Amino acid sequence: MTLAKVIGNAVCTIKNGSYENRKIMLVAPVAPDGSRAGKAYLAVDSVGCGAGETVVVIDEGGSARILLESDEVITIRTVIAAVVDKIGIGE
């Protein structure tokens, strides 16, 4: 799992069938203090998040299939699994 910030979205008019009716978001890994911690990448939104929100991203195909509630073999590997409300360190 990776902590990330949603920094935008991708609009795709032609895409693989696994991506039909799914939002594709641009996310950037962040440290717990909110500072950037890596390069941005794309992830499928399973929670209805928006730009500026901090999220938990899963980068593993089997988990993606479970989160997206799909019994089919899908080509999706990276999925936004949760929106983070608060990060507590040492609490």
Side-chain angles (χ1 to χ4, degrees):
M1 291 187 285
T2 303
L3 192 61
K5 178 147 316 236
V6 178
I7 58 174
N9 66 320
V11 178
C12 308
T13 55
I14 300 172
K15 54 191 166 189
N16 179 282
S18 297
Y19 292 87
E20 288 297 323
N21 302 315
R22 301 190 193 280
K23 276 191 340 186
I24 302 170
M25 307 304 283
L26 182 62
V27 297
V30 294
D33 67 3
S35 62
R36 281 287 277 273
K39 294 181 180 182
Y41 56 93
L42 298 172
V44 172
D45 180 17
S46 73
V47 295
C49 63
E53 292 188 290
T54 301
V55 295
V56 174
V57 179
I58 304 289
D59 186 22
E60 192 276 315
S63 297
R65 188 169 37 258
I66 292 168
L67 286 170
L68 297 173
E69 299 176 350
S70 176
D71 294 329
E72 303 172 27
V73 174
I74 57 176
T75 59
I76 298 170
R77 176 187 169 99
T78 308
V79 175
I80 297 169
V83 175
V84 177
D85 296 318
K86 178 182 176 183
I87 298 172
I89 300 173
E91 292 182 359

